[in-house]
Amino acid sequence: MYALFFVLAIPLLGGAILAFTGHRDFARNINVVFSLGTFIAACVLTAQIISDGPILVWDKQFFIDPLNVFLVTLTCFVGFTTAIFSRPYMRIEQDHGKMTPTRMRLYHSMYQLFNFTMLLGLTTNNLGIVWVSMEAATLTTVLLVSVYRTAASLEAAWKYFILCGVGIAQALFGTVLLYMAAEKVLGPESATLLWTSLNAIKGQLDPSIITLAFAFLLIGYGTKVGMVPLHSWLPDAHAEGPTPVSAVLSGLLLNMAMYAVLRCKVLTDGALHSPMAGQLMMGFGLLSLVVAAFFLSRQKDVKRMFSYSSIEHMGLITFAFGMGGSIANFAGLLHMTVHSLIKSAVFFTVGHATQKAGTQVMSEIRGLIKINPTVGWGLMLSVMAVLGMPPFGVFASEFLILTTAMREQPWSTPFLLISLGVAFASILVRVLPMVFGETSLKPLLHPPALVPVFVHIGMGLVLGLYIPPYLNGWYVQAAMMLGG
């Protein structure tokens, strides 16, 4: 499968090349070229899956189906647009003295390796390799978060490393338990961690072992998702790292961790024939949503505020998948897509705004509409989209989740409505002065890369009005595979 080979090989090669040339002026363009090549390869892979169906390749170690192929394409697309955004952004950071040649080389090489680790985790059929790729993604993003080498960024990176290291250790123990359960069915010589093999025998797996395994896997991968109370690394990592890193953390890494949880949930549901896994996910999802919504009202740093918004949205997605069923799963997949697109657009505009103001404190950022109208309108539109205003896609997915919860889990409706209302008010009351307030700042020196912002917003708008048939087909098939 040549397309899959290029999806994995291009970012890996890009990381190797940029490790030596990432400090040169042309490295920003090389980073974009490699990201574009990965995206094109992902599109070819997607076309092949649409025409031929799911595939198992390379000794069954890699498996592509409707559940992960759209996440692969989404990851490559956001990785490409973020690389475009980072060109002028990192040039300004270099002009301000924040980025030395060594740091630029580290940033560009780790950016490509981060993309590789995410794509490896999404495409592999081996749950052991999923764990390895998640750990590798942690290590690359630790280096990206700490790239400024300030006291605050180093502290955030260590906090991220320690908390996610503890979480990933729990996921490792859960993976070992999965192997134990498979060994009891397949025997020591045939025991495997291939998801397709486990899925074929999930009804024969020991319920006691699988129950314990899922608990550890949910805690471990849930740390990377940003579930409360395992979330405290996420606001610091967003606030102290470069803005392109914030965009890919919120838009991509959280999705990858959620994907790992979903694969494990399918096995658990088949082994237990009970809603235990879904109930745990609903509980953690609702807790994350409620806590993040009320923490939003206390934030002063703009990037920290939108990091709590990511926790809120991932909580809602976790709750939707916990409910299960075709509609809730469809809504969860749609919400993953539009949140990745819109939240990355939010961080793109926030990045330019904070660079011009010289601060991330919201009370000191004013009049973006006068400094640069496209930045101001880009932030305003992306914020309205991420808050779930119609007709954007976030509104459509939230509406589906809410109506399904009202029918199937009515007890949760007040928590959902109050949390979403608090989040809406907390963010809007701070963003309006940032966009329309009075300012004495001069226009931006370098024209910002705002094409990705409006492309993302436009796609979020389209998904709220019309889902293309091929994309709808992915969602329907993936939702059926997730069951519930």
Side-chain angles (χ1 to χ4, degrees):
M1 176 56 70
Y2 293 111
L4 178 58
F5 172 80
F6 284 112
V7 165
L8 297 174
I10 291 173
L12 185 60
L13 178 63
I17 291 176
L18 289 170
F20 297 98
T21 63
H23 61 290
R24 301 189 179 277
D25 289 339
F26 60 78
R28 290 187 292 268
N29 296 326
I30 296 297
N31 191 42
V32 173
V33 170
F34 275 109
S35 299
L36 174 61
T38 308
F39 174 58
I40 292 172
C43 291
V44 174
L45 177 64
T46 300
Q48 292 177 347
I49 298 302
I50 291 175
S51 62
D52 302 334
I55 58 168
L56 269 171
V57 295
W58 301 337
D59 197 26
K60 299 184 180 180
Q61 294 298 313
F62 288 84
F63 176 59
I64 313 296
D65 65 358
L67 177 58
N68 60 5
V69 73
F70 94 87
L71 286 175
V72 168
T73 307
L74 178 65
T75 297
C76 295
F77 175 73
V78 175
F80 168 54
T81 55
T82 304
I84 294 175
F85 158 74
S86 73
R87 288 178 66 254
Y89 180 88
M90 298 309 292
R91 179 179 62 184
I92 296 172
E93 295 293 86
Q94 197 168 19
D95 292 345
H96 289 172
K98 290 185 176 182
M99 296 294 292
T100 63
T102 301
R103 294 175 190 174
M104 289 295 290
R105 190 164 63 243
L106 177 66
Y107 168 79
H108 285 125
S109 61
M110 288 302 106
Y111 183 86
Q112 288 297 321
L113 288 178
F114 173 63
N115 284 330
F116 166 74
T117 59
M118 287 189 297
L119 294 169
L120 177 65
L122 290 172
T123 56
T124 183
N125 188 33
N126 191 315
L127 294 180
I129 299 179
V130 170
W131 181 87
V132 171
S133 63
M134 198 74 71
E135 178 70 1
T138 300
L139 295 176
T140 55
T141 46
V142 163
L143 294 173
L144 287 169
V145 168
S146 65
V147 73
Y148 288 144
R149 294 297 188 270
T150 63
S153 66
L154 290 172
E155 180 184 352
W158 272 110
K159 189 175 183 180
Y160 174 32
F161 177 73
I162 292 170
L163 289 178
C164 288
V166 171
I168 210 71
Q170 309 302 311
L172 175 60
F173 187 61
T175 304
V176 171
L177 289 172
L178 273 179
Y179 183 87
M180 287 178 57
E183 185 182 35
K184 295 178 71 173
V185 178
L186 300 173
E189 296 182 358
S190 302
T192 177
L193 282 173
L194 298 182
W195 186 85
T196 49
S197 299
L198 291 170
N199 190 47
I201 60 163
K202 60 187 176 184
Q204 305 173 52
L205 298 176
D206 188 323
S208 300
I209 297 178
I210 294 299
T211 299
L212 191 59
F214 183 77
F216 278 100
L217 289 164
L218 181 61
I219 292 170
Y221 292 134
T223 303
K224 301 287 290 188
V225 174
M227 293 183 192
V228 173
L230 312 166
H231 67 287
S232 56
W233 64 269
L234 200 151
D236 287 344
H238 279 68
E240 304 303 334
T243 301
V245 177
S246 301
V248 292
L249 278 175
S250 274
L252 303 179
L253 182 62
L254 305 187
N255 282 355
M256 177 188 170
M258 178 58 67
Y259 166 79
V261 171
L262 293 177
R263 287 292 194 194
C264 297
K265 178 180 181 290
V266 171
L267 299 177
T268 306
D269 288 342
L272 301 185
H273 302 290
S274 75
M276 184 276 293
Q279 289 172 349
L280 280 176
M281 291 180 68
M282 281 193 291
F284 276 108
L286 199 58
L287 177 65
S288 302
L289 174 62
V290 172
V291 171
F294 283 92
F295 265 96
L296 278 168
S297 62
R298 302 177 55 187
Q299 302 309 308
K300 298 179 181 179
D301 183 296
V302 62
K303 290 174 69 177
R304 186 176 292 270
M305 179 180 72
F306 284 114
S307 72
Y308 275 104
S309 172
S310 295
I311 296 171
E312 172 217 351
H313 283 281
M314 293 310 295
L316 187 61
I317 291 168
T318 304
F319 178 82
F321 287 126
M323 282 193 297
S326 57
I327 297 177
N329 288 335
F330 183 98
L333 293 167
L334 176 60
H335 201 86
M336 287 175 72
T337 306
V338 291
H339 175 254
S340 295
L341 294 170
I342 301 300
K343 185 57 63 65
S344 52
V346 169
F347 278 113
F348 294 165
T349 53
V350 164
H352 287 306
T354 55
Q355 275 188 332
K356 181 58 182 177
T359 179
Q360 295 178 188
V361 179
M362 287 180 281
S363 61
E364 299 178 19
I365 303 174
R366 291 290 184 268
L368 294 176
I369 203 76
K370 298 178 181 178
I371 297 173
N372 189 299
T374 50
V375 171
W377 282 115
L379 179 60
M380 196 69 242
L381 289 173
S382 58
V383 166
M384 297 305 288
V386 86
L387 290 177
M389 287 292 289
F392 290 100
V394 175
F395 170 79
S397 57
E398 287 183 351
F399 180 80
L400 287 173
I401 295 171
L402 279 171
T403 52
T404 304
M406 289 177 184
R407 184 179 67 253
E408 298 182 5
Q409 307 290 338
W411 59 270
S412 66
T413 305
F415 297 100
L416 293 171
L417 290 174
I418 292 172
S419 299
L420 291 173
V422 169
F424 184 94
S426 299
I427 294 177
L428 192 61
V429 74
R430 286 166 172 76
V431 169
L432 285 174
M434 291 173 60
V435 175
F436 298 107
E438 294 297 325
T439 183
S440 58
L441 294 176
K442 296 180 180 179
L444 288 170
L445 179 62
H446 296 292
L450 291 174
V451 172
V453 174
F454 291 101
V455 168
H456 285 209
I457 293 172
M459 294 177 70
L461 177 62
V462 169
L463 290 176
L465 298 171
Y466 171 74
I467 300 178
Y470 62 89
L471 185 58
N472 182 74
W474 287 348
Y475 290 154
V476 170
Q477 293 180 54
M480 293 174 62
M481 291 173 53
L482 293 174

